[in-house]
Amino acid sequence: MAWTPPPPRPGHPYYMYESIYAQPGAIRLVLRQNADTLKAAAERLKAVDRLFLSGIGTSWHACLVGELLLSSIGRLGHRVRAFHSFEFKNYWPDPDPRSGVIVVSHRGTKRFSLEALQKAKAGGGIAIAITGRGSGEGLKIADHSLVTVEQENSAAHTISYTTALSLLAALAAGIGGDAEAARALDALPDQMALLLGQESWEELAARFADRRRYYFVGGGPNTATAYEAALKMNEANYTTTVGMNCEQVLHGPWAALEASDVVVLIAPPGPSYERCLALGKAAKEIGAPIVGLVEEGDREISALCAHTVTLPTVPELLSPILAVVPLQLFTYHLALQRGTNPDTMRSDQPAHGRARAGLSL
């Protein structure tokens, strides 16, 4: 069943805006409504020899975070691996009956994510889907379905990402028996609500609206946050944007940095903090302004920044659920500054509409 979007809105508030602000309540509801399925899925996954996560686009970014959540909080170690669905389907061996596969797909209509789930079922392993309400029929072959939210009206998915991350975190806590992580997860919606009201996001976007290129950089679980922020920028405001791992940037890409760019460092406490700091020092020398997402009380990266956004104190592995929210808001308000519709992925423009119609996804 193909998803039919509603008529586009002509101005603020666009659908994307409403989805961003609905996230705290949605996370609470999704965790409560999926409690029984989470428990059943966790019990079955404790026994697998291997666990694969598969997704595309925003869903792939969720899988990258899920890989670390399940490896550490879920105590599955090196038995967990995240794959892009296209790669999993076409380049990797079939899973066997001792394997579990989690496919993340909000709409449940992407060809290769559906084929990844079919591949899991054909191998006799446990198949789990994380998907939105009213998603495509193809995901119903899963042994367990964890349901996020209603189908998003905006093509720039936000609420489906953070609710999928929350379900992956809850699943990891269930598998690993980590009560502390479960309590930290339960506190996230309130922390997110405070974060949503923390800044003047319009002013922040206006301040950096004329940059040549936007670099989003993070490490560990927030490598995926950098990828996701760059994707949202591409989809919603059509800027030239790069999302990268902090260590990878230090090994060459920093040389393309200019003073007319802006660098956004996603740097809560953790092993990647020092490498984000190193990049911040390099960007400062080049003259590119830095926006830092840091924990309250941070001194080193904050001293380099043109602007800082304070993140609540949470375990690093859970921080992507919160850290992506300021970047969603920055993306949205930059779209307003640039006069773009963040909901349509440019399909309302003739050439891009024709291009989109010619794509088979």
Side-chain angles (χ1 to χ4, degrees), residues 87-278:
E87 303 290 327
F88 181 67
K89 168 60 176 63
N90 291 296
Y91 289 98
W92 288 85
D94 292 346
D96 60 29
R98 296 288 298 170
S99 300
V101 178
I102 301 173
V103 172
V104 183
S105 177
H106 180 61
R107 301 215 191 281
T109 57
K110 297 297 190 295
R111 169 188 168 190
F112 290 108
S113 289
L114 294 174
E115 291 184 3
L117 191 64
Q118 292 163 4
K119 184 171 182 172
K121 289 293 290 183
I126 301 166
I128 296 172
I130 298 180
T131 189
R133 294 190 180 280
S135 60
E137 295 291 315
L139 293 182
K140 291 187 176 179
I141 64 171
D143 297 298
H144 301 282
S145 290
L146 297 167
V147 181
T148 57
V149 292
E150 298 291 344
Q151 296 299 307
E152 290 202 57
N153 292 329
S154 177
H157 286 181
T158 52
I159 191 170
S160 54
Y161 179 65
T162 52
T163 50
L165 289 182
S166 299
L167 286 172
L168 286 165
L171 187 61
I175 294 170
D178 193 326
E180 184 177 347
R183 285 192 296 270
L185 180 60
D186 286 341
L188 283 185
D190 289 339
Q191 293 171 311
M192 184 181 289
L194 291 173
L195 186 59
L196 283 165
Q198 179 176 295
E199 300 276 340
S200 175
W201 306 108
E202 301 94 331
E203 292 179 11
L204 183 62
R207 185 176 177 185
F208 298 106
D210 61 348
R211 297 287 100 182
R212 180 189 74 125
R213 183 178 292 124
Y214 298 81
Y215 287 81
F216 291 85
V217 181
N222 284 304
T223 299
T225 307
Y227 293 166
E228 175 63 11
L231 175 59
K232 292 293 94 92
M233 293 279 283
N234 294 153
E235 292 173 337
N237 57 50
Y238 325 143
T239 50
T240 302
T241 306
V242 179
M244 296 191 74
N245 170 272
C246 53
E247 186 66 20
Q248 189 69 13
V249 177
L250 294 172
H251 288 260
W254 68 269
L257 190 62
E258 301 283 355
S260 54
D261 301 332
V262 63
V263 177
V264 180
L265 295 177
I266 308 151
S272 63
Y273 180 90
E274 292 300 323
R275 305 312 281 161
C276 286
L277 177 61

Side-chain angles (χ1 to χ4, degrees), residues 246-322:
C246 53
E247 186 66 20
Q248 189 69 13
V249 177
L250 294 172
H251 288 260
W254 68 269
L257 190 62
E258 301 283 355
S260 54
D261 301 332
V262 63
V263 177
V264 180
L265 295 177
I266 308 151
S272 63
Y273 180 90
E274 292 300 323
R275 305 312 281 161
C276 286
L277 177 61
L279 177 60
K281 291 177 179 178
K284 187 77 170 180
E285 289 294 336
I286 293 165
I290 302 161
V291 175
L293 275 64
V294 293
E295 193 174 82
E296 185 176 1
D298 175 84
R299 295 185 181 277
E300 292 187 280
I301 287 179
S302 295
L304 304 172
C305 291
H307 186 88
T308 58
V309 176
T310 302
L311 297 174
T313 300
V314 296
E316 186 187 14
L317 290 174
L318 297 180
S319 67
I321 303 172
L322 295 177

